[in-house]
Amino acid sequence: MSAESSKKELAVAALRNGTVIDHIPADVLFDVVRLLGIEDMATSVTIGNNLQSAILGRKGIIKVADVVFPEATLNRIALIAPSAKVNIIRDYEVVEKHHVTLPDELFGLVKCNNPKCISNNEPMRSHFTVVNRQPVTIRCHYCGHTQSH
Amino acid sequence: MATNSLVSIDDISKEEILRILSAAQYFEQNPDHKILDGRVVATLFFEPSTRTRLSFETAVNRLGGRVIGFSDPAVTSTSKGETLKDTIIMVSNYVDLIIMRHYLEGAARYATEVTDVPVINAGDGANQHPSQTLLDLYSIYKTQGTLDNLTITMVGDLKYGRTVHSLLMAMRYFNPTFRFVACNELQMPQEYIRFCDDNGIAYTVHSDFSEAVIDTSDIIYMTRVQRERFTDIMEYERVKDLYNLRNSMLANSRPNLRILHPLPRVNEIDRDVDDNPKAYYFQQAKNGLYARQALICRALGIEVPIVNK
Ligand SMILES: [Zn+2]
């Protein structure tokens, strides 16, 4: 076992039940924190940033005890951190491990950057279609404007 | 959402376009066919547009329908802060069809999501205006006898002109050749150039409104170059008259050439072109009536008789 992976095991092992989100690029870590609504949670949360990563250079990690996020919530992360990996922990064991995947359509997640779009002027949910995944480009279902992330 | 709504020209297939043009042709021959049998149509103009509203309301009246609605949002509850959703749901209680124009982009699409009554988009900000595109297609079809294999020259403001963008996209089924004539600042956006590439549509790009371009065109689609589109006023002053059409420029043009313009024009088409039989912009506006009659029947699911050619 390499030093790198044993360190990771240790970090994960500290959590009895909950969710670990790993491989988040360092510069978007706090965007992910906000997106998941972690600031308002009462459970124990560990956030690490600027950790060494062979793939990302510097990465961030978020560990949330006793919370399993809905799939739809986790997939929102794909928009800003497509490299992120989700580990579900039960009794100190990783019982589930997967990448986040950007859904084909995004509801209520992103704000349209066209100020004259109806979605910015009515109490309604935004709706985007993913037109490209790498880099991520999405098109507003209402006004047709495209934006990149 | 009602399936017969029309929000964007992209929503309809080639077959549907041809069916609408055939219906438009029927109404040109039978403009007063009272096919609507007293059905009630709302024209909701959250943004005033007298030209478009008169065309739609005339279409409903000639078809024997009734019109309710407003032409000035200042008199409605919208000005008191009512949401679009609430207005649409309220109006849906009374009518069989909603024809709406709105200053916000995507408003018509959203309206289709909150009502089961069919919606026709009569313009949503800078976004879509499909009845304009259908009247353009009908004008081309009528004057050329076909939509296939035509050379269409678009002139003026190709960057912000939504009519040229929609026409370009709708023509993709008919193997057109486009010529894009504009100054650098107002040339056809990359997005539409890519659309042409992806769909195998032939095009050439010109900064010169030359005789070589004019003399090889079947259709010249003129648009207005507006001062407020320019970031550099000096640039506007330099190019403002380069894309004006004068009668003398048409001396060696093709006999089938027709000049189109979505109107209103300012001085991009000289008055001396008006008497040339190739000037078609006033008839083009009239064709809007027939195209809109066809669209209204489509939205209401009413069969239009086939024309005798
Ligand atoms: Zn939008």
Side-chain angles (χ1 to χ4, degrees):
Chain A
M1 190 183 279
S2 73
E4 166 80 355
S5 68
S6 71
K7 246 188 278 166
K8 194 190 295 171
E9 296 269 315
L10 251 176
V12 171
L15 198 62
R16 179 171 182 177
N17 290 303
T19 304
V20 176
I21 302 154
D22 198 1
H23 297 286
I24 304 166
D27 57 337
V28 296
L29 176 77
F30 289 98
D31 295 329
V32 174
V33 168
R34 254 185 307 272
L35 202 148
L36 293 174
I38 287 169
E39 288 150 310
D40 305 322
M41 285 181 175
T43 55
S44 99
V45 176
T46 313
I47 297 171
N49 206 12
N50 293 325
L51 309 171
Q52 286 301 328
S53 159
I55 311 159
L56 297 168
R58 292 178 181 282
K59 66 166 186 177
I61 187 167
I62 301 169
K63 295 189 271 181
V64 187
D66 303 321
V67 172
V68 176
F69 294 94
E71 188 76 25
T73 306
L74 292 171
N75 283 340
R76 293 171 161 209
I77 299 170
L79 195 65
I80 48 177
S83 58
K85 255 186 206 154
V86 176
N87 300 275
I88 311 292
I89 315 294
R90 219 166 284 147
D91 264 335
Y92 302 109
E93 297 276 338
V94 176
V95 293
E96 213 184 303
K97 192 177 185 124
H98 59 84
H99 281 279
V100 291
T101 47
L102 191 63
D104 294 334
E105 302 204 73
L106 308 172
F107 293 93
L109 172 57
V110 193
K111 198 170 131 36
C112 180
N113 57 23
N114 172 12
K116 299 191 80 176
C117 177
I118 185 73
S119 68
N120 289 320
N121 294 273
E122 271 278 301
M124 61 186 276
R125 178 169 85 140
S126 71
H127 178 182
F128 285 85
T129 308
V130 175
V131 291
N132 196 33
R133 286 170 181 279
Q134 195 65 271
V136 174
T137 308
I138 57 178
R139 175 188 284 270
C140 177
H141 171 71
Y142 296 103
C143 74
H145 278 230
T146 54
Q147 53 200 65
S148 301
H149 282 263
Chain B
M1 168 177 168
T3 50
N4 291 335
S5 289
L6 180 60
V7 172
S8 160
I9 195 74
D10 305 345
D11 295 347
I12 52 176
S13 64
K14 178 182 182 178
E15 288 65 38
E16 272 189 290
I17 289 175
L18 294 174
R19 216 174 301 136
I20 291 164
L21 299 189
S22 162
Q25 207 170 4
Y26 173 82
F27 287 119
E28 179 157 13
Q29 292 168 12
N30 308 275
D32 291 314
H33 189 159
K34 304 286 183 227
I35 204 167
L36 287 197
D37 194 24
R39 272 185 244 207
V40 182
V41 177
T43 52
L44 310 184
F45 277 61
F46 297 90
E47 169 190 66
S49 171
T50 307
R51 193 179 295 272
T52 304
R53 187 173 56 83
L54 290 181
S55 178
F56 268 114
E57 292 187 353
T58 304
V60 175
N61 283 314
R62 287 200 178 272
L63 292 168
R66 292 159 192 273
V67 178
I68 65 163
F70 52 82
S71 55
D72 179 2
V75 303
T76 72
S77 332
T78 307
S79 60
K80 298 177 199 143
E82 186 179 55
T83 62
L84 175 62
K85 179 179 177 179
D86 288 4
T87 305
I88 295 293
I89 291 174
M90 180 271 293
V91 170
S92 298
N93 292 327
Y94 308 136
V95 301
D96 302 300
L97 168 65
I98 292 172
I99 296 167
M100 64 179 279
R101 186 179 183 102
H102 205 285
Y103 49 92
L104 292 171
E105 296 167 26
R109 178 76 66 201
Y110 178 60
T112 65
E113 294 175 359
V114 300
T115 180
D116 290 327
V117 172
V119 174
I120 294 177
N121 184 7
D124 59 332
N127 192 27
Q128 295 284 334
H129 192 9
S131 66
Q132 175 71 44
T133 310
L134 283 158
L135 80 87
D136 290 343
L137 290 172
Y138 184 55
S139 299
I140 295 169
Y141 177 73
K142 223 177 103 177
T143 59
Q144 307 297 315
T146 178
L147 289 176
D148 294 308
N149 309 316
L150 298 171
T151 298
I152 299 175
T153 298
M154 297 174 162
V155 186
D157 179 357
L158 308 186
K159 184 173 181 186
Y160 299 100
R162 68 176 171 190
T163 55
V164 294
H165 301 158
S166 297
L167 180 59
L168 183 154
M169 295 181 82
M171 283 301 295
R172 72 183 179 279
Y173 303 120
F174 305 104
N175 189 40
T177 299
F178 286 112
R179 303 195 196 289
F180 303 136
V181 181
C183 65
N184 280 341
E185 200 155 344
L186 297 182
Q187 255 302 349
M188 192 58 83
Q190 265 312 310
E191 180 186 352
Y192 295 99
I193 296 287
R194 212 174 309 122
F195 179 86
C196 288
D197 291 335
D198 291 348
N199 287 275
I201 296 171
Y203 62 89
T204 50
V205 177
H206 310 261
S207 56
D208 219 15
F209 192 18
S210 67
E211 277 197 32
V213 166
I214 292 169
D215 295 351
T216 53
S217 298
D218 300 309
I219 293 288
I220 295 180
Y221 199 104
M222 299 292 296
T223 62
R224 184 151 47 108
V225 173
Q226 290 165 277
R227 184 196 195 106
E228 58 267 31
R229 300 300 194 197
F230 285 81
T231 44
D232 178 359
I233 291 305
M234 293 296 284
E235 178 67 7
Y236 169 75
E237 291 298 331
R238 194 181 68 77
V239 306
K240 66 174 183 188
D241 294 323
L242 294 181
Y243 305 100
N244 293 354
L245 182 66
R246 292 176 306 280
N247 197 36
S248 58
M249 295 160 73
L250 298 172
N252 300 310
S253 60
R254 290 178 174 174
N256 64 309
L257 170 74
R258 292 296 178 274
I259 315 296
L260 304 187
H261 189 301
L263 302 181
R265 70 157 161 194
V266 182
N267 50 13
E268 57 278 7
I269 302 179
D270 197 287
R271 299 290 179 277
D272 73 1
V273 180
D274 294 357
D275 295 328
N276 190 318
K278 293 172 183 173
Y280 196 74
Y281 26 93
F282 295 119
Q283 291 98 311
Q284 180 189 359
K286 190 174 178 191
N287 289 337
L289 174 61
Y290 313 128
R292 289 179 175 118
Q293 285 180 300
L295 280 181
I296 289 163
C297 289
R298 175 187 175 273
L300 288 167
I302 295 172
E303 285 285 333
V304 177
I306 305 291
V307 279
N308 307 312
K309 295 202 178 179

